[in-house]
Amino acid sequence: MSAPASLRSILFSPLLRQNPVTLQILGICSALAVTTSMETALTMSGALTVVLVMSAGLISVIRRHIPDSIRLIVQIVIVASLVIVIDQILQAYLFEISQRLSVFVSLITTNCLVLGRTESFSRHNPPLRSMVDALGNGLGYSLALTVIGSIRELFGAGSLLGWQVLPTVDQGGWFTPLNLMLLAPSAFFLLGGLVWAIRSVFPDQAEALEYLSPDDPEASQ
Amino acid sequence: MSELWALFLRAAFVENMPLTLFLGLCTFIALSRKTGSALGLGIAMVAVMGVTVPLNHLIYTAVLAPGAWAWAGLPQTDLSYLRLIAFIGVIAATVQMLEMVLDRFFPAIYASFGVFLPLLTVQCAILGGSLFMVERNYDLAESAVFGVGAGFGFAVAVVMLSAIRARLSYADLPQGLRGLGITFILAGMMSLGFAAFAQMVAS
């Protein structure tokens, strides 16, 4: 964030190169839990992006008025209020999906991604740049969720967004659903694989070897 | 008594916070590089969850639940939509208090916790514990057991993961898989193992 980057690069760099889920390790808590189907993944992505952009804008507007010592509490209260609004809207208009998301919409409050971006970017930048940065990160998060969600739904149930793509054996087709895909471990494996894929394309993101000087406490930082 | 024990086992193993519910993964991944810091994190989790879940239960039933204000002639009042802000406040205050008590009476433990004690405020698993408590209508004893059990499950998982990562730090992995990638795959394998606990407690 040192050199003043153009709005375009602020928006697009979090999509792949600086993807919040695979590189910054932010927001994976919810990324895995809601990806059993594409529908929930998309709803969650939408909710998170809205909260992220709005909180980034609000916090950036009042950034000069927040005392440094209580900024975390101020930020959390702003985020929590926005999340309550989103949660109530989802319960009113998309009741079924909000039931399936259960507590995870509320948990956007403690999503590391929201606080991480407001803490590291919105606090130092004017509203427009903060909101563009938030939008980019939200879209990067959505991209990772959509990829994982579509793989899990396609191989776990043979469908995409509820449309039957691969005819399953139950319905007289040939595809046997992999039940493992709908369980918890597959989400970890898929995300690990996604990280591997992205880091193979961008080798500069690969982490350094840890065992060069194992006795040095600095080495494993 | 046996019911509470079953709830403890269920919270700790069957519904393990990081491995089956994916809560608190950020700290789970970030702080599992060294077994020492992982152990500190685990102990802090048990303490904070054991305090905040029953405390939030008291606040929820006394103030926020639908009908909580019936004694004041307001039976229609339903403040449950405010629970997020209330719970976050309680968690932040508890973490702050824990920090001050440790600093005053156990400086050695405080020093070993380091920076990640304040970070527990924004830990999904702690807030998630309180939200699950509301969703499943636990009473006070159950919520205390649930809080301690969930914290214990987190501690076990994070210490095990850090031990495996320490062993693997000498392994020759593909370049892109080093660090974050292999950690996810390890967590996936541990998650497979924890899935076997599902048969342990008939729910």
Side-chain angles (χ1 to χ4, degrees):
Chain A
M1 305 301 154
S2 55
S6 70
L7 283 181
R8 200 186 149 81
S9 75
I10 294 179
L11 177 62
F12 286 109
S13 78
L15 281 185
L16 268 181
R17 281 199 158 271
Q18 297 279 331
N19 191 289
V21 177
T22 59
L23 182 65
Q24 305 176 36
I25 330 186
L26 293 175
I28 34 181
C29 322
S30 51
L32 297 174
V34 298
T35 47
T36 43
S37 74
M38 258 188 93
E39 205 179 5
T40 49
L42 285 176
T43 318
M44 185 70 189
S45 312
L48 183 111
T49 309
V50 170
V51 171
L52 194 57
V53 171
M54 281 167 64
S55 63
L58 278 175
I59 288 167
S60 173
V61 166
I62 59 168
R63 68 185 187 283
R64 295 187 205 285
H65 305 286
I66 305 178
D68 222 30
S69 51
I70 58 160
R71 61 161 197 278
L72 271 182
I73 302 212
V74 174
Q75 288 168 1
I76 287 186
V77 169
I78 292 175
V79 174
S81 323
L82 289 169
V83 170
I84 290 177
V85 173
I86 297 282
D87 195 22
Q88 300 284 321
I89 292 177
L90 281 184
Q91 282 185 16
Y93 294 104
L94 294 167
F95 187 70
E96 261 180 33
I97 296 181
S98 97
Q99 285 293 302
R100 268 163 55 202
L101 287 174
S102 120
V103 299
F104 288 101
V105 176
S106 312
L107 285 175
I108 295 178
T109 320
T110 50
N111 196 309
C112 335
L113 179 56
V114 180
L115 270 185
R117 289 328 289 177
T118 55
E119 184 70 11
S120 66
F121 200 88
S122 314
R123 246 171 9 103
H124 313 290
N125 287 282
L128 181 64
R129 291 169 67 88
S130 311
M131 287 171 81
V132 170
D133 172 75
L135 183 66
N137 276 285
L139 290 178
Y141 175 87
S142 312
L143 188 70
L145 248 72
T146 313
V147 169
I148 299 176
S150 57
I151 296 177
R152 282 181 80 178
E153 191 179 343
L154 183 63
F155 292 108
S159 57
L160 275 179
L161 280 174
W163 291 86
Q164 207 66 33
V165 177
L166 306 172
T168 53
V169 172
D170 300 347
Q171 301 160 343
W174 53 271
F175 180 67
T176 314
L178 297 162
N179 283 328
L180 180 68
M181 277 293 170
L182 297 179
L183 298 178
S186 74
F188 284 112
F189 292 139
L190 283 177
L191 193 50
L194 192 65
V195 170
W196 189 5
I198 287 188
R199 289 189 179 179
S200 306
V201 180
F202 304 113
D204 51 310
Q205 289 186 1
E207 288 171 38
L209 287 172
E210 280 182 24
Y211 57 77
L212 291 177
S213 52
D215 295 322
D216 184 1
E218 300 290 318
S220 55
Q221 288 300 309
Chain B
M1 193 60 219
S2 64
E3 272 174 31
L4 288 182
W5 179 237
L7 181 66
F8 178 84
L9 288 181
R10 191 172 155 204
F13 295 109
V14 181
E15 290 174 352
N16 189 281
M17 281 277 174
L19 292 177
T20 53
L21 295 175
F22 308 111
L23 292 175
L25 274 181
C26 304
T27 31
F28 182 67
I29 303 283
L31 285 174
S32 57
R33 279 176 200 270
K34 295 206 186 81
T35 316
S37 58
L39 191 63
L41 173 71
I43 294 169
M45 282 293 293
V46 176
V48 173
M49 286 201 71
V51 174
T52 53
V53 177
L55 205 60
N56 280 332
H57 177 265
L58 287 180
I59 289 176
Y60 184 76
T61 46
V63 183
L64 300 175
W69 291 90
W71 56 270
L74 298 166
Q76 300 294 320
T77 314
D78 177 5
L79 294 177
S80 56
Y81 66 92
L82 284 178
R83 59 172 190 240
L84 256 186
I85 291 194
F87 289 176
I88 278 281
V90 168
I91 291 169
T94 311
V95 170
Q96 192 81 54
M97 242 149 56
L98 187 74
E99 207 179 339
M100 289 188 312
V101 169
L102 285 180
D103 193 18
R104 174 72 181 78
F105 296 107
F106 307 100
I109 301 180
Y110 178 73
S112 72
F113 277 178
V115 291
F116 55 84
L117 197 54
L119 277 183
L120 287 184
T121 314
V122 288
Q123 237 267 13
C124 342
I126 296 174
L127 183 65
S130 293
L131 291 171
F132 276 127
M133 174 271 296
V134 170
E135 216 179 58
R136 297 177 189 165
N137 296 318
Y138 287 142
D139 64 21
L140 185 59
E142 281 173 344
S143 53
V145 170
F146 176 74
V148 174
F152 178 74
F154 189 97
V156 169
V158 78
V159 169
M160 278 165 52
L161 181 67
S162 71
I164 303 176
R165 282 184 77 174
R167 293 291 296 221
L168 270 186
S169 65
Y170 293 93
D172 187 18
L173 296 169
Q175 204 191 8
L177 209 51
R178 254 176 243 151
L180 188 58
I182 193 67
T183 310
F184 276 125
I185 290 174
L186 283 178
M189 288 181 179
M190 286 174 67
S191 174
L192 266 184
F194 271 70
F197 285 120
Q199 274 87 40
M200 195 173 71
V201 178
S203 52

